Amino acid sequence: MFTLLAVLHVLGLTVLLFGATMLVPLMVAWVGSDAALLAYDESILITMASGFVVWWGTRRYKRELQPRDGFLLVSLTWTTLPAFATLPLLFYFQQNGTPLSFTDAYFETVSGLTTSGATVLTGLEHLPASINVWRHFLVWLGGMGILVLAVAILPLLGVGGSQIYKAETPGPMKESKLTPRIAETAKGLYAVYFAITLACITAFKLAGMNWLDAVCHAFSTMGLGGFSTYDASFGAFAAHPAVDWVAVAFMLLASINFSMHFLAWRRKSLNPYWACPEARFVLLALVGSALFISIYLYQRGVYGDFGDALRYGVFNTVSIASTTGFANTDYEQWPIFVPVLMIFLSCFATSSGSTGGGIKMIRALVLLQQAGRELSRALHPKQINPVRLGRVAIDNKVVFAIMAFMLMYGMTIIIATFLLLLSGLDEKSAFTAVMACINNMGPGLGQVGPASNYQSLSDFQTWVCTLTMLLGRLELFTLLVLFTPAFWRK
């Protein structure tokens, strides 16, 4: 009980601060006098009052949190904040005479904070500017939150991917712990994240977007979240090819471990990127697959002009593989090989410490080396052949943790897919919806394809996808460990 109260104390403060973030869309609504202006007063009051009550009521139990507490805090934070984030949506749609169910609103805000980009809303271009800003700002906050989670919390929790991240990262972040050093690390990452976001906003504006679209799409791009201010996503900017190429450049940047950006900025050198094996393979996977798919589309006659094949092939491949989820065309109409390949790439084509989803490239590299080691061991049983990333040897316990993670990842996909099939969803839509949600990618195929969204799903199907998004963003163990008896034993 005391552990729960100590965690609730921190959670209350988190909710209180989260309420303050609603001042951003409130200012947008006030400046633009848009139709959602009245939706924020009650939202901010309810959120901040709830956070204050919990924080003040548990102040006697304030103490330093232990690693076990981290699991509970992270899980409660990522399930509670979306509930409060629904308030502006619920109030606006209620006032507008078109009520939005809590199920759909919670799905939308979970999608934003987990940087998934799946949506149940239509008529996005007709929404008040402040509502669109709030949706996209959630993506940006979620991206920033994941960096803090990866650097500050997960290394203490023993999750395989974060342990590798800790071992591989050079400099001050190698010994990342919940200490003042973490605060300095977080400030550095925030500064880099904010600076690149400003550059992205400016680039989008110069490429042809208005300021609202530039800000919203920069938030989505840096969070690799995929929300858009238009139902057609980037298809709305068909007359501005430069917009697509700006998005590609910044999606590539956001797919790389942000600690590499931090070190490159601090050292005024590009060497940290080259020295990181994960970054090299991420760029190779994204750029190489994008060029391959572009050539394939041209040779298959999907586009008669190679320039068009390159534009649409590169944009959509990088978008889906990086788990962003933007689309500038209905790629489901391409030969089925292409969208399936892009979904497969979304499983691993981003770095740990980035804002992307999936299992991360670093786990894939370790698993490939482990497979090679087992093949070699079959021929030479006594051979000592450690798994390495660059010059760093990976401890066997980390390798085992990754293998356990992959088992849980596969089981989650299977169980969630069968649940959607049981509910009546067709095979293609069910499987790709689960893949899109667990990889925090957004669009799938079929009923949830790039030309549609998740609005047609039943409440049960929507909750399955919502839980899958949370599991994917929290990398499974963080949430699933709460359901084990051992967690609750003293």
Side-chain angles (χ1 to χ4, degrees), residues 295-305 335:
I295 295 171
Y296 178 84
L297 292 174
Y298 179 67
Q299 289 184 335
R300 289 292 300 268
V302 177
Y303 296 99
D305 180 75

Side-chain angles (χ1 to χ4, degrees), residues 410-430:
M411 288 178 60
T412 302
I413 292 173
I414 293 171
I415 293 171
T417 300
F418 271 102
L419 286 173
L420 292 181
L421 291 173
L422 182 65
S423 69
L425 196 61
D426 67 275
E427 297 90 339
K428 181 166 71 170
S429 300

Side-chain angles (χ1 to χ4, degrees), residues 441-481:
M441 180 185 68
L445 300 176
Q447 287 185 225
V448 295
S452 55
N453 62 20
Y454 287 71
Q455 190 178 56
S456 63
L457 299 187
S458 67
D459 284 355
F460 175 78
Q461 293 165 347
T462 301
W463 280 111
V464 170
C465 291
T466 301
L467 178 59
T468 306
M469 284 190 289
L470 286 168
L471 285 170
R473 180 46 81 187
L474 296 180
E475 300 201 327
L476 302 174
F477 286 153
T478 309
L479 189 57
L480 292 179
V481 72

Side-chain angles (χ1 to χ4, degrees), residues 146-203:
I146 291 305
L147 300 180
V148 175
L149 186 68
V151 177
I153 299 175
L154 287 182
L156 290 180
L157 304 183
V159 179
S162 59
Q163 290 284 40
I164 297 174
Y165 174 76
K166 176 183 174 182
E168 175 65 15
T169 304
M173 284 165 286
K174 185 170 184 176
E175 298 299 326
S176 296
K177 296 180 181 179
L178 292 174
T179 65
R181 176 175 289 182
I182 280 295
E184 295 303 314
T185 299
K187 288 178 183 177
L189 290 174
Y190 289 163
V192 171
Y193 190 68
F194 186 73
I196 299 177
T197 301
L198 286 180
C200 188
I201 293 172
T202 304

Side-chain angles (χ1 to χ4, degrees), residues 170 259-265 267-277 279:
S259 66
M260 298 298 105
H261 300 318
F262 174 78
L263 292 174
W265 166 73
R267 297 177 182 178
K268 305 298 187 291
S269 170
L270 297 179
N271 288 336
Y273 299 112
W274 182 251
C276 176

